[in-house]
Amino acid sequence: MIKPNFIEQLLDGVEVEWKTVGEVFDILAGGDVPKHALSDKKTKEFNIPILSNGTEDKALYGWTNIAKIAIPSLTISARGTIGWTSFRDKPFFPIIRLLVLTPKINLNLKYAYYYMKMIENNYKVSETGIPQLTKPMIKDVKFPIPFSENLEKSLQIQAEIVRVLDTFTELTAELTTELTVELTARKKQYTYYRDKLLTFQHSEVEWKTLGEIGEFVRGNGLQKSDFVESGVGCIHYGQIYTYYGNFAYQTKSFVSPTLATKLKKAQKGDLIIATTSENIEDVCKPLVWLGEDEVCISGETYVFKHNQNPKYIAYYLQTPMFFDYKKQNRTGTKVIRVHGDKLKKFKIPLPSLAEQERIVSILDKFDALTSSITESLLREIELRKKQYKSYRNMLLSFPKSEVEV
């Protein structure tokens, strides 16, 4: 437990010297990929990670047997997510678009990480050409050293700051793990009951193709650049698997009334199906439109108009049966598509509308519970992150001298 006046006591009377990053670190720019010693997978021989400018796990480019950086260091993304800072305590090989900071004075590297992480969004990069961060742009950035004339005291202060911030980081990680386990269990339970409720013998119910029970209308001509602040509601295909759940009553985006007259539209009860993605899991994800007003749709989507329970169809299009079907009928490798003529031929079991409603009512409860847990997870994690940033800013926002100001 961190006492309210702890920070005031810790930083009371702390003297700070502001050095430049170039005075504190050696700065290295990543080089070319070691093509002569490169593996896509980690092996006994190739077990040194090759790191690029990506964030988190996306930074991993491949594996090599050469450690260009063998001591604990910081890495900073020079392109893409500019300024993204990571702590590296194991050997690695940096490649282009990644800057590496190795300490050349005695300091707590984790302390340095927390400070550089705090300012990672403050770098000023050129707005012309390709935005990038360079060694000269970093070397003159100011870096605080508490009690620089007393190494023992300086390291003690740095270590205590690290201890506090590590505590919040660990609490967030523990909470994330705990709630993720709970969420995974609920999703597994939901999936089990969904698949059980939607599994029928062919003799039990009538089976029809989607083309027999409804009509597919292909979307057209809506780009993200067409979005406006207000107007007619619209849904872009990419939003179906990045923003929406299974059902929607209102839209995230809008288009002008003029453009809306030219676009295909979905009405209440229609399914909007995204037919394109780089991920097979997302392809043909259905979204039931339940809003009172009609909504415009983009290309790479189909509106499915039908005479069945829309939620029942949406739930069935998330079962392993449909997943296997779309895998067998997809086209493309990097960008995957399932065309409308294939969707029309997919067979679906059709119990009575009353039975469809019964199944939907059960699955809606599981869906609501899973969504509630997801929202709780995100709220709790966001709260912990805000607490961490608040303490980090209090601990690392040392006052600069009037001369420097």
Side-chain angles (χ1 to χ4, degrees):
M1 183 69 179
I2 298 173
K3 296 180 181 179
N5 63 345
F6 170 80
I7 292 179
E8 287 84 350
Q9 294 175 357
L10 175 63
L11 301 180
D12 184 36
V14 170
E15 299 174 4
V16 176
E17 179 182 2
W18 289 87
K19 294 180 177 290
T20 64
V21 168
E23 292 175 308
V24 178
F25 297 96
D26 286 317
I27 306 172
L28 168 74
D32 294 331
V33 175
K35 296 181 179 179
H36 61 287
L38 172 65
S39 173
D40 291 334
K41 297 181 180 179
K42 185 178 182 180
T43 66
K44 186 175 181 180
E45 179 184 1
F46 297 101
N47 54 22
I48 305 296
I50 301 171
L51 301 179
S52 69
N53 59 312
T55 60
E56 304 291 355
D57 294 338
K58 295 179 181 178
L60 182 63
Y61 181 89
W63 301 87
T64 187
N65 57 0
I66 306 165
K68 191 169 184 180
I69 305 296
I71 63 174
S73 308
L74 305 181
T75 59
I76 299 178
S77 174
R79 289 268 192 95
T81 311
I82 291 177
W84 179 268
T85 304
S86 299
F87 178 84
R88 310 290 182 187
D89 59 356
K90 293 181 176 60
F92 64 97
F93 191 106
I95 57 176
I96 55 173
R97 299 172 185 161
L98 189 67
L99 298 174
V100 181
L101 274 58
T102 56
K104 58 184 181 182
I105 67 171
N106 196 336
L107 86 163
N108 187 313
L109 187 62
K110 205 65 177 298
Y111 163 82
Y113 161 74
Y114 281 125
Y115 183 78
M116 299 304 290
K117 192 72 178 172
M118 183 177 71
I119 65 170
E120 67 181 2
N121 295 318
N122 296 348
Y123 299 110
K124 292 181 173 61
V125 297
S126 174
E127 296 181 0
T128 60
I130 300 176
Q132 62 179 341
L133 195 61
T134 63
K135 290 168 60 175
M137 294 165 66
I138 286 183
K139 70 180 182 67
D140 292 327
V141 170
K142 296 297 185 179
F143 184 90
I145 304 292
F147 291 112
S148 60
E149 301 299 323
N150 186 331
L151 179 59
E152 182 179 354
K153 194 169 185 178
S154 178
L155 292 175
Q156 183 181 14
I157 291 289
Q158 293 175 39
E160 193 61 17
I161 289 173
V162 168
R163 185 190 69 80
V164 174
L165 297 179
D166 276 352
T167 298
F168 279 102
T169 302
E170 290 164 7
L171 285 173
T172 302
E174 289 173 4
L175 178 66
T176 302
T177 300
E178 179 182 341
L179 294 179
T180 300
V181 169
E182 173 68 14
L183 179 60
T184 301
R186 293 299 182 185
K187 283 185 175 180
K188 186 176 181 180
Q189 185 183 38
Y190 158 72
T191 301
Y192 170 79
Y193 280 103
R194 181 198 65 198
D195 295 347
K196 186 175 180 65
L197 286 165
L198 295 175
T199 299
F200 301 91
Q201 298 298 323
H202 276 269
S203 59
E204 293 179 330
V205 295
E206 185 179 18
W207 291 72
K208 288 187 176 182
T209 64
L210 293 177
E212 290 177 306
I213 65 172
E215 172 192 9
F216 285 91
V217 178
R218 188 173 183 176
N220 64 307
L222 169 63
Q223 306 296 324
K224 289 183 179 179
S225 57
D226 294 323
F227 293 166
V228 296
E229 289 188 6
S230 63
V232 180
C234 68
I235 296 177
H236 188 270
Y237 79 93
Q239 296 173 330
I240 294 178
Y241 47 78
T242 58
Y243 178 79
Y244 295 100
N246 294 324
F247 325 115
Y249 293 85
Q250 56 187 12
T251 64
K252 171 184 174 63
S253 305
F254 304 90
V255 293
S256 68
T258 301
L259 177 59
T261 61
K262 304 175 184 178
L263 298 174
K264 302 296 184 185
K265 299 177 181 66
Q267 279 79 36
K268 184 177 183 179
D270 291 345
L271 268 70
I272 306 171
I273 302 175
T275 56
T276 301
S277 176
E278 295 182 0
N279 186 348
I280 187 63
E281 298 281 352
D282 294 328
V283 174
C284 293
K285 178 181 181 297
L287 170 66
V288 179
W289 176 245
L290 296 175
E292 295 298 331
D293 297 327
E294 62 182 12
V295 60
C296 299
I297 64 167
S298 72
E300 306 296 350
T301 63
Y302 282 91
V303 174
F304 181 55
K305 299 178 177 296
H306 55 90
N307 58 3
Q308 302 295 316
N309 187 305
K311 287 188 175 183
Y312 172 81
I313 300 175
Y315 281 129
Y316 197 84
L317 294 186
Q318 297 173 54
T319 61
M321 292 74 84
F322 183 64
F323 182 78
D324 291 341
Y325 181 84
K326 67 182 181 182
K327 279 179 64 178
Q328 295 167 8
N329 291 279
R330 69 182 187 179
T331 61
T333 52
K334 182 172 176 58
V335 178
I336 304 168
R337 289 183 174 85
V338 177
H339 294 289
D341 58 341
K342 298 295 183 182
L343 291 176
K344 293 178 183 178
K345 297 177 181 178
F346 179 67
K347 282 194 172 183
I348 184 171
L350 292 174
S352 67
L353 290 175
E355 178 62 10
Q356 290 181 31
E357 178 61 32
R358 186 187 74 84
I359 292 171
V360 164
S361 66
I362 296 172
L363 295 179
D364 275 354
K365 292 176 183 176
F366 279 106
D367 182 71
L369 179 61
T370 303
S371 297
S372 175
I373 294 172
T374 301
E375 290 171 4
S376 296
L377 168 67
L378 295 176
R379 280 197 303 269
E380 289 294 328
I381 292 174
E382 187 61 28
L383 176 60
R384 297 302 180 193
K385 287 181 178 179
K386 286 182 178 178
Q387 288 179 325
Y388 155 72
K389 288 182 179 180
S390 176
Y391 274 90
R392 184 189 64 188
N393 292 342
M394 285 190 287
L395 287 165
L396 296 174
S397 296
F398 300 106
K400 293 186 178 181
S401 68
E402 294 180 6
V403 174
E404 288 174 306
V405 173

